[in-house]
Amino acid sequence: MVRQKEMIAAHFQRLSRAREEGRKVVYTFVPGNLTELMLAFDILPVHPEINALQAGMRKQSGEFIAEAERAGHSEDVCTYVKCDIGMLLKGNIGPTGEKLPEPDLLLLSYTGCFTFMKWFELLRERYRCPTAMLHVPYQGDGRIEPSMVRYVVDQLESEVVPKLESVTGKKLDLERLQGMLARSARAEDDLVWVLESAKNRPSPIDAYFGGVYYIGPIFTAFRGSPEAVDYYRALRAEVEERLARRLGPVTPEGELQQEKFRIVVEGPPNWTSFREFWKMFADEGAVVVASTYTKVGGVYDNGFRHDPSRPLESLAEYCMGCYTNLNLPSRVDMLARYVADYEADGFLINSIKSCNSFSSGQLMILREVENRSGRPGGFIESDLVDPRYFSAANIKNRLESYFQMIEQKRAGGAA
Ligand code: SF4
């Protein structure tokens, strides 16, 4: 956690010096991000949704959202967007207190959520900089066809790479990109090992609240860098040691002493009350053994790895494979598989008020996963970064009832 925070803070510092150091800056989103391609051009990426979640964790988001609503953005708009727009209207001071540089390019890898497109339209009006749009086909039939890979590669070749070349004044160095993709694959191997360590009893990790820190570097500005390789090697070594000593995960209250419930979670966490939310689970002895949120920036536990021998094809497959680009039956399959593979007692949906893209199918997901797994599902509601929609008492009540229900089912099963 400490090391991840240092890496992210160092990235914000680099961004604050970008102009004086002549570095180019590209704004882009986490799902379907083309980090290795940007790093191959020495570009610094900015992820607006990371700024928003960092602002949420630092209790700055409420004021930014209010600012965006005063400027006319409706209450129903995704709060990541409003937090970002509010921050921009207030001078674009990033979460660490340093000013964020304006973008030289907006790079939209369009994976699954229409809001991403509208969000960048708003930023484009403001910054008047060039835009590159990578249209990533939705996995409507639950698979990636060769024609879909070709379609994305064509756009990388004809749209994205030329725009990156034009912004930086450099030609793409394919060998350099391949070196980065090889490093990505190494980090991805270690990340998957860490996430799958939760199959043990007790689980040495929490794959949702702790998982946030595990995915930070690889989902943002570091995938493909030597720092990411080192980070995931160190993380794996730390978790290996916890496993050998049969230790449970570290929580805001210290080390979890007894694993009482093993839970799979769907949906992002709430950021404005992140530690309070986490503590509600830890107080009950509940460990999240798998989550879909830790797959929004790449699903690696299905075997996908970036492949330096097929650089652009593998970037295309990566973009199409992100969780945000999966259809509802694929999401149900994934959750039902997690419940079985991680021997979970149940699964829980944290439905996000302002995320229309992902909340719409969640009641169907709940029913389907319950039917298929035979394990009880729970449903709570909160928001990403709008503090008005985190009702601690309500959520705590629901969680307590949910864990009681699991206990009763267990007792019934044993009788
Ligand atoms: S996926 Fe949800 S949270 Fe992310 S941009 Fe779309 S609406 Fe907002």
Side-chain angles (χ1 to χ4, degrees):
M1 191 188 292
V2 171
R3 190 156 168 186
Q4 192 255 20
K5 282 183 177 170
E6 285 168 2
M7 287 166 78
I8 304 274
H11 182 64
F12 278 111
Q13 278 160 16
R14 276 193 291 276
L15 285 169
S16 71
R17 298 192 304 267
R19 286 291 163 253
E20 63 198 69
E21 292 178 1
R23 303 281 302 268
K24 297 295 177 188
V25 174
V26 169
Y27 285 20
T28 195
F29 293 113
V30 169
N33 68 72
L34 299 168
T35 303
E36 298 89 345
L37 196 54
M38 288 184 275
L39 296 187
F41 282 99
D42 291 313
I43 285 170
L44 291 172
V46 170
H47 304 91
E49 71 272 56
I50 300 293
N51 297 343
L53 80 81
Q54 292 278 344
M57 282 179 126
R58 291 167 163 86
K59 314 275 186 212
Q60 301 161 340
S61 53
E63 184 42 41
F64 292 153
I65 290 168
E67 183 73 23
E69 288 181 359
R70 281 194 287 274
H73 295 278
S74 139
E75 212 184 297
D76 292 333
V77 169
C78 166
T79 50
Y80 271 174
V81 179
K82 283 189 291 187
C83 184
D84 185 47
I85 298 290
M87 184 181 81
L88 195 161
L89 294 174
K90 281 179 154 297
N92 230 11
I93 306 299
T96 53
E98 288 137 317
K99 189 161 168 62
L100 289 167
E102 295 201 354
D104 296 291
L105 177 77
L106 296 170
L107 170 57
L108 174 59
S109 305
Y110 178 71
T111 49
C113 172
F114 191 65
T115 302
F116 289 133
M117 193 144 68
K118 305 314 281 178
W119 191 343
F120 266 8
E121 281 176 11
L122 290 168
L123 295 192
R124 188 174 58 179
E125 274 172 23
R126 176 86 190 189
Y127 292 120
R128 308 209 168 275
C129 64
T131 315
M133 163 90 181
L134 178 68
H135 178 239
V136 176
Y138 187 60
Q139 280 204 48
D141 295 328
R143 55 180 184 271
I144 299 174
E145 300 290 354
S147 59
M148 292 156 74
V149 177
R150 194 64 245 160
Y151 178 65
V152 177
V153 169
D154 281 350
Q155 294 174 78
L156 289 170
E157 287 171 343
S158 64
E159 163 82 1
V160 177
V161 170
K163 285 202 168 142
L164 294 174
E165 288 180 338
S166 148
V167 160
T168 57
K170 295 178 184 174
K171 289 303 272 178
L172 172 63
D173 180 342
L174 204 57
E175 260 180 49
R176 192 166 180 221
L177 175 64
Q178 287 172 312
M180 285 175 180
L181 294 172
R183 285 197 286 271
S184 297
R186 282 208 288 283
E188 288 157 359
D189 278 343
D190 286 333
L191 172 64
V192 170
W193 188 93
V194 167
L195 293 176
E196 292 190 337
S197 72
K199 288 180 181 168
N200 292 280
R201 281 178 191 264
S203 167
I205 63 161
D206 183 287
Y208 185 52
F209 298 104
V212 163
Y213 298 95
Y214 305 154
I215 57 175
I218 208 161
F219 282 8
T220 60
F222 298 92
R223 201 181 57 236
S225 69
E227 284 162 285
V229 174
D230 292 348
Y231 176 84
Y232 287 97
R233 190 43 44 99
L235 174 63
R236 178 173 174 161
E238 196 176 299
V239 175
E240 275 171 348
E241 194 189 324
R242 300 192 72 74
L243 194 58
R245 294 167 60 199
R246 297 185 55 76
L247 296 175
V250 178
T251 77
E253 299 301 289
E255 211 158 80
L256 191 80
Q257 296 303 325
Q258 196 196 349
E259 176 187 285
K260 290 197 199 139
F261 304 103
R262 296 168 64 82
I263 306 293
V264 170
V265 175
E266 143 78 10
N270 165 273
W271 300 112
T272 48
S273 301
F274 182 77
R275 287 180 83 82
E276 189 181 359
F277 191 30
W278 186 353
K279 187 174 177 305
M280 289 178 196
F281 285 70
D283 285 349
E284 297 285 336
V287 177
V288 181
V289 287
S291 66
T292 51
Y293 178 66
T294 49
K295 316 291 160 19
V296 290
V299 179
Y300 298 113
D301 53 354
N302 63 3
F304 171 82
R305 296 289 180 274
H306 282 93
D307 179 357
S309 70
R310 304 165 56 247
L312 296 188
E313 288 78 3
S314 129
L315 285 173
E317 286 161 2
Y318 160 74
C319 291
M320 285 186 281
C322 288
Y323 186 69
T324 53
N325 206 47
L326 303 186
N327 66 8
L328 286 177
S330 305
R331 294 180 199 186
V332 169
D333 286 347
M334 186 188 249
L335 279 160
R337 197 179 68 236
Y338 283 165
V339 173
D341 291 356
Y342 288 78
E343 298 179 345
D345 300 300
F347 66 96
L348 188 72
I349 293 178
N350 181 30
S351 187
I352 296 297
K353 187 220 168 256
S354 64
C355 178
N356 295 323
S357 296
F358 285 88
S359 305
S360 54
Q362 284 174 332
L363 287 174
M364 184 282 284
I365 290 180
L366 183 78
R367 263 198 317 273
E368 282 292 309
V369 179
E370 264 188 338
N371 285 343
R372 283 179 41 184
S373 68
R375 298 289 153 93
F379 197 86
I380 52 173
E381 289 168 283
S382 69
D383 192 60
L384 296 162
V385 290
D386 192 335
R388 292 172 297 186
Y389 299 111
F390 185 83
S391 165
N394 208 343
I395 292 174
K396 195 167 169 37
N397 265 340
R398 288 249 192 140
L399 285 175
E400 283 170 3
S401 316
Y402 177 62
F403 294 130
Q404 271 171 17
M405 178 171 79
I406 292 180
E407 255 178 350
Q408 278 163 4
K409 289 217 171 205
R410 270 188 197 153

